[in-house]
Every structure is written in structure tokens, then in C-alpha cells.
Amino acid sequence: MNHFLLAAALILSASAAMACETVTIGDLTVEHAWSKATIGAGRPGVFYVEITNTGSTDDALVGIATPAAGMPMLHETVVQDGIASMPHAMSIPVPAGQSVQLSPGGYHGMLMGLTNALKEGDSFPVTLSFEKAGEVTVNVDVLSLRAEGPDCADAGQ
Amino acid sequence: MLGVGAYRTRNRPARNELLPLPIGEMSWALTDHQGRSVRPKDWAGRPVMVFFGFTWCPDVCPTTLSDISLWLEDLGADANRLIVALISVDPERDTPVVLADYVSNFDPRIIGLTGPAEEVAQAAADFRVTYRRVDKDGGDYTMDHTAGVFLFHPDGRFVSIIDFHEDRRFAVPKIRRTLS
């Protein structure tokens, strides 16, 4: 467990609206990273983000890691015949020239085994692992349980 | 597995098996997030909106409750007579106290309902809802469940379902039609 990273993240949380920051790695742009507050640490947290591939080569998100949770996983909410299930996603395609959203009701990171309850206004780092572009770390804003996404001027959603 | 067991009936005449029963013909007995007993007859004469979910659910449930909260804001005081209930499909973890904590994050008109497993199964049967426990590594589990939002007219008749992902522009008028 990297307590230093977590502490650093909490200090960083003093500056607002990091969800609106943009991080790039190679041809990939990662932005609008956010999460929802949880009631206690027993329930899983959630992780949403938007990834844009400006290059000409397909890539894929193959994993996430964070000091905020012992078992972060990629999932997809699937509604079939009106019944919602949440299968594990081995990888999330990020095709060349396209944007992929991990967003409510679709692909999302599920943060099981939270180190602490996620509180609105907190922030924590998540490292995304891409099949080709490698690893990149983003800071994730914790919004309210009711939030539908970060309020960024350029959100484009 | 699955809600097959939830489809047992209590001396109910056979009828359209795909649609929820009218509220007045339902037979569940649940407890709300403030510990009060709630039965279908308590909803007589009121429009009703019901969603099945569970508080350990990270994505579908908070998203749906956020949507419902926005719809209620849009409807304003017109929706004050609307019964809005989240029925837990995970009564093992969702006690009334847990539900109280959870629903406090959303529109205050939303109530949480839970109860003994057999009463939750009865409610699911009455609403024609399916749910299923999915075990995960390490003893944890999640639930698959019907994700639509059910609407009932004040006389108890089932009106329609708002599907998950349905556009708000359609959802709010649908609800408005149940209010009169």
C-alpha cells in the first residue's frame, strides 16, 4: 500500500476540479476522471473517465490500480431483457481516432476493498494501464453520490 | 438461483404474467428506511414509482436514483403525492438503517424498502422483477436485477416502465401522466 501516494493525493485535493484536467500519454488523452462518494468503506467505489485516442493505432485499457482500493477492476454494466448485470471487462477497446467513456450505466472501474470511505471533495490517484501506450496516472475527483459527472466548461458530454 | 423462486404465488389467479400486478392485488409486506411497516394498501389512491436495486451497487443504482431525483426536481411539487420507492433486492445487507443512510443522498421523497427475504421475493413476484445473487471472489457478492422504473396510476393500475438509459425528455412526461 502506497500511503505516500494517497497522502499526496489528499494534499492535491485542495485544488479544485482536477476532473477537468487532461493528461496525455502517447496518442491517448485522459480526462474527466471522477468518482462518487461512498457510504463507508464496505461498499465498492466507482471510477469514471474519458479516453480519446488521437492516433492511428487501436489501443485498449487493460487494467487500473489505485492506493484507494485493494481490488480495483474494470466492469461493464449490461442491461439485457431489462435485467442489469455487471460483468468483469478484461479490456476496454480504445480504437484509433475514437473516444471511449467510462460513464454511469456503461463501462466503469469498480473499486472493491476501499482503503477508506470516499468523501465528496476528496481526490485519489488511479493508474490506467493501456495495452500499447503503457501506464498513466490521473487524479480522480470524488463527487457526490448523486453526481452525474464533473462540471467542466469543455466537458463536451 | 435466479428469481425463479420469486415467481411462486399466493393463491393468485393466472393472468398476464409479463406485467406487474395492480398495486391493490400485490401481497408483500416490507419495512421502510424509517422502520415503518409498508403494505400495498398503504399506497391506495396515490401514484407510485418503484425501482428495485441495492445499496452495494456502484453504478446502476446510484445512477437511477440520481435520475429519479432529477425527474422529481423537474416535476416539483406536482410529484409530492407520488410514492417513490427503492425496493432492495439485497435485504441481507440492506437493513432499514443502511437504506436510511443511502436514500438520504437523494431526493427526500424517495423511500427505501426492505424486509425478510421471502417478502422481497413476494414483491419481486408481484412486480414481475427478477434478481439473482452473483458471488465474487473473497466471499463478496453483487446482485443482478431488473433495472427499469415502474409507474402506477393512483388507482393502482400499472402504467409503464421507464427503461434504464431512457431519455429524460420521455421519462418526465411519462411520470406526469401517472399523476392525474
Side-chain angles (χ1 to χ4, degrees), chain B residues 11 23 35 59 67 101 103 108 116-117 133 152:
Chain B
N11 304 320
I23 298 286
D59 186 49
D67 287 346
D101 218 0
V103 297
R133 175 178 162 140
F152 295 84

Side-chain angles (χ1 to χ4, degrees), chain A residues 94-116:
Chain A
V94 187
Q98 292 186 33
S99 279
V100 171
Q101 288 188 4
L102 277 65
S103 61
Y107 284 119
H108 57 274
M110 184 163 161
L111 310 178
M112 316 229 310
L114 286 176
T115 313
N116 292 294

Side-chain angles (χ1 to χ4, degrees), chain B residues 16-75:
Chain B
N16 190 333
E17 288 297 319
L18 295 175
L19 296 179
L21 292 180
I23 298 286
E25 293 180 28
M26 294 184 175
S27 54
W28 45 265
L30 296 169
T31 302
D32 77 8
H33 65 283
Q34 293 178 313
R36 293 175 302 210
S37 162
V38 177
R39 289 173 167 277
K41 65 175 167 53
D42 298 327
W43 293 351
R46 304 269 299 269
V48 170
M49 181 157 76
V50 168
F51 168 69
F52 284 74
F54 64 114
T55 73
W56 252 255
C57 158
D59 186 49
V60 173
C61 309
T63 300
T64 300
L65 291 173
S66 298
D67 287 346
I68 290 175
S69 298
L70 288 170
W71 301 337
L72 293 175
E73 272 173 30
D74 273 12
L75 292 161

